[in-house]
Amino acid sequence: SSELTQDPAVSVALGQTVRITCQGDSLRNYYASWYQQKPGQAPVVVVYGKNNRPSGIPDRFSGSSSGNTASLTISGAQAEDEADYYCNSRDISGSWVFGGGTKLTVL
Amino acid sequence: EVQLVQSGGGFVQPGGSLRLSCAASGFTFSHYDMHWVRQGAGKGLEWVSAVETAGGTYYQASVQGRFTISRDTDKTSLYLQMNSLRPGDTAVYYCAVGVPASPKYYFVYWGQGTLVTVSS
């Protein structure tokens, strides 16, 4: 099965822009979706498809993709954005796969 | 209001069995794929299994042959029968609702999670 690779940890100064990336062969055929998870809570989808946000997700969250890499960008990071972020896509075998997760620290 | 109410977790010895349930309401159950995703303590999300709207099933390699996913449209419920459990299966198990809009697939709703502990 495919794998999705994420940096384990990223930090950003309050109000600055941060990009979290996800690499994997499956991303050449499927869009990534991105999930925010705070301690003790279930994940929440923040971006999916080419660059779609569910209702209620702030527009500072955006997504992009190129080749085998998908990116989640947070423009003007807020303290409440500190969380773990996971990418996911379907893979060529028909199953699904998550990235290892990125811990975002807002300084 | 969408609700995914999970039950069935608990403590079991290696080699034992458990059945997880996820009762869904607030959306048209038959229109969505359903998934199980797990998370070990301090670890990342791990996709486990899925059942599509048409009944097709998928499993992660490590659970293939031991776990069986099923759905009951009349009861709007999802199940995961877990047999031959191993300590490595210890995790919080989430049920999740998948939107079958390939290639922009995503999990739109998540249950609260239920803890499965496999230990002697």
Side-chain angles (χ1 to χ4, degrees), chain A residues 8-99:
Chain A
V10 170
S11 61
V12 61
L14 184 67
Q16 297 303 300
T17 296
V18 63
R19 176 174 293 181
I20 299 170
T21 61
C22 173
Q23 286 190 305
D25 287 341
S26 62
L27 299 178
R28 298 184 185 279
N29 298 288
Y30 298 97
Y31 288 113
S33 53
W34 291 93
Y35 301 86
Q36 177 192 72
Q37 187 182 35
K38 296 181 179 179
Q41 297 182 18
V44 173
V45 59
V46 293
V47 167
Y48 66 94
K50 191 173 184 179
N51 182 17
N52 302 102
R53 280 177 290 105
S55 60
I57 301 300
D59 60 6
R60 62 178 178 272
F61 289 89
S62 64
S64 62
S65 181
S66 178
N68 73 337
T69 301
S71 300
L72 172 69
T73 299
I74 307 174
S75 303
Q78 302 299 302
E80 61 264 32
D81 299 334
E82 186 162 291
D84 294 327
Y85 290 86
Y86 297 90
C87 60
N88 176 272
S89 83
R90 197 154 192 182
D91 74 23
I92 57 174
S93 71
S95 61
W96 285 261
V97 60
F98 282 95

Side-chain angles (χ1 to χ4, degrees), chain B residues 91-103:
Chain B
V92 172
Y93 284 72
Y94 295 99
C95 63
V97 179
V99 180
S102 184

Side-chain angles (χ1 to χ4, degrees), chain B residues 1-5 23-29 76 109:
Chain B
E1 178 193 6
V2 170
Q3 287 197 319
L4 295 171
V5 179
S25 61
F27 63 99
T28 306
F29 184 78
T76 62
Y109 309 122

Side-chain angles (χ1 to χ4, degrees), chain B:
Chain B
E1 178 193 6
V2 170
Q3 287 197 319
L4 295 171
V5 179
Q6 297 186 226
S7 59
F11 184 96
V12 63
Q13 291 187 332
S17 298
L18 277 177
R19 188 192 194 210
L20 304 184
S21 299
C22 173
S25 61
F27 63 99
T28 306
F29 184 78
S30 61
H31 289 183
Y32 294 87
D33 298 343
M34 296 297 295
H35 296 253
W36 290 100
V37 176
R38 68 186 180 185
Q39 186 170 35
K43 298 189 176 181
L45 300 175
E46 181 181 34
W47 177 82
V48 174
S49 182
V51 55
E52 295 179 315
T53 56
T57 57
Y58 300 85
Y59 299 92
Q60 187 211 108
S62 71
V63 308
Q64 180 82 46
R66 300 188 298 124
F67 291 10
T68 302
I69 191 171
S70 61
R71 63 190 295 164
D72 185 326
T73 301
D74 292 337
K75 295 182 178 179
T76 62
S77 291
L78 173 71
Y79 306 100
L80 186 68
Q81 177 66 43
M82 303 186 294
N83 298 331
S84 303
L85 282 161
R86 306 166 179 168
D89 296 318
T90 296
V92 172
Y93 284 72
Y94 295 99
C95 63
V97 179
V99 180
S102 184
K104 52 180 180 178
Y105 199 100
Y106 67 107
F107 303 114
V108 62
Y109 309 122
W110 294 72
Q112 84 277 15
T114 189
L115 178 62
V116 171
T117 303
V118 184
S119 176
S120 54

